[in-house]
Amino acid sequence: MAKRLAGAAVVLALVSVITFGLALLVPGDPAIHLAGEHATREEIAAVRAELGLDRPMAVRYLEWAAAVLRGDLGTSLYNSQPVTQILAERLPVTLSLALAAMAVAVAISLPLGVLAALRQGGLLDRVISSGTALAVATPSFWLGLMLILAFAITFPFFPATGYRPLGDGIAAYAAHLALPALTLGVAAAVEPTRQLRAALADVLDTDYIRTARAKGLLPSAVVGRHAIRNAAVPYVTVIGLETGQLLGGAVVVEAVFGLPGLGTLAESTVTRQDLPVLQGLVLVSTVVVVAANLAVDLAYRWLTPGEVA
């Protein structure tokens, strides 16, 4: 874990450099955006000096990195709010959506992957394979709109848009997350289903599984106690990698369902050329992905206790 943490620190350092550099390549000049289209050159230069945009990039990066290490992500150019406060307001929404979507993905992929592996080459296996291919080809915004039409308008079981924090009650919280999580979770379930099906099919063909069956163990015990755990490593790996895709997919899903999360914040931030918020947003998202990868490493140690992960 010490090696993993050191590697995570290196990743975060590299991401901070890349993020700072790429943010400066966003088309347009924030100083012009803030000063106004009809501002004079002198006024634009004054805004650039006030924001520190006239200093060398290396100096600006070192100052920004030192502030980040102190927990200061800067101040928004748009409304002068601390970036930390802006992200703290938005992050719980996106994390709630990502965790709920991950739960949906596991609830879909785990049984489907097992069933497909147990019925290799059969009708059920082909149906599941076709279903995963269809899920990949379905745009998330279209699926979200169809779910709104079906379960928020035609049959009004869930609200179509908006978000309610957990403090307002678990029922309201879950109801507002149900459709967005299902929209995001369906696409996230595709690759785990395929990986579990392939890994479990290989495990079921090993000698020790044949021996367990020959001893008269029930099929449920053979699969649940022995096979799944040994087939779980690639499955857990894919689940961990899905974290980044969920954060990326949240941009579209949050826009469709009107959720005030990091996705809609990213959209507005790029439009406004609010570089401090954009840099903080990417850095925080990276921390979430790195934390998910560390959790996967811990899961490896539990799944393979006799080996070094």
Side-chain angles (χ1 to χ4, degrees):
M1 287 308 300
K3 292 180 180 179
R4 296 291 192 275
L5 290 173
V10 172
V11 169
L12 290 174
L14 291 175
V15 168
S16 70
V17 174
I18 295 172
T19 300
F20 190 86
L22 290 180
L24 300 180
L25 298 179
V26 174
D29 188 339
I32 297 177
H33 184 74
L34 292 174
E37 297 181 358
H38 304 291
T40 64
R41 291 183 178 180
E42 291 75 14
E43 291 171 338
I44 295 174
V47 173
R48 289 182 61 83
E50 181 182 354
L51 298 176
L53 299 178
D54 57 343
R55 289 178 293 174
M57 188 175 71
V59 174
R60 291 161 54 192
Y61 168 74
L62 292 176
E63 292 178 350
W64 176 75
V68 168
L69 292 176
R70 298 193 303 268
D72 180 9
L73 296 177
T75 303
S76 169
L77 302 179
Y78 179 74
N79 55 19
S80 300
Q81 279 187 302
V83 175
T84 304
Q85 178 184 341
I86 296 174
L87 296 179
E89 294 172 353
R90 301 284 192 128
L91 184 59
V93 180
T94 299
L95 286 182
S96 297
L97 174 60
L99 291 174
M102 186 63 72
V104 170
V106 171
I108 293 174
S109 62
L110 191 58
L112 292 185
V114 172
L115 290 173
L118 293 176
R119 299 291 186 269
Q120 299 175 55
L123 176 61
L124 183 59
D125 185 19
R126 291 195 295 270
V127 169
I128 292 174
S129 297
S130 300
T132 56
L134 180 62
V136 169
T138 302
S140 57
F141 72 87
W142 182 87
L143 178 59
L145 292 175
M146 292 302 101
L147 290 175
I148 290 175
L149 179 62
F151 299 109
I153 298 176
T154 305
F155 302 101
F157 298 129
F158 301 101
T161 59
Y163 173 78
R164 297 286 292 276
L166 188 57
D168 290 349
I170 191 170
Y173 172 77
H176 283 79
L177 281 178
L179 297 184
L182 184 58
T183 302
L184 198 55
V186 167
V190 172
E191 195 57 34
T193 300
R194 293 174 173 174
Q195 290 291 337
L196 182 59
R197 187 264 183 204
L200 188 56
D202 290 339
V203 170
L204 291 174
D205 198 35
T206 57
D207 292 337
Y208 76 91
I209 293 295
R210 296 193 190 97
T211 302
R213 287 171 172 168
K215 289 182 178 181
L217 289 180
L218 294 174
S220 58
V222 172
V223 175
R225 190 182 306 169
H226 301 286
I228 286 184
R229 182 168 182 177
N230 288 280
V233 171
Y235 179 77
V236 171
T237 301
V238 173
I239 289 293
L241 294 175
E242 289 287 342
T243 305
Q245 297 183 16
L246 289 175
L247 293 179
V251 175
V252 175
V253 174
E254 288 179 4
V256 171
F257 290 94
L259 300 179
L262 296 182
T264 51
L265 176 64
E267 180 185 6
S268 62
T269 296
V270 172
T271 303
R272 297 169 179 171
Q273 299 177 352
D274 199 342
L275 298 186
V277 178
L278 180 60
Q279 292 163 347
L281 176 62
V282 175
L283 194 61
V284 168
S285 300
T286 303
V287 170
V288 173
V289 174
V290 169
N293 290 332
L294 289 175
V296 169
D297 289 335
L298 288 175
Y300 288 158
R301 299 300 296 267
W302 177 76
L303 293 170
T304 56
E307 303 176 9
V308 177

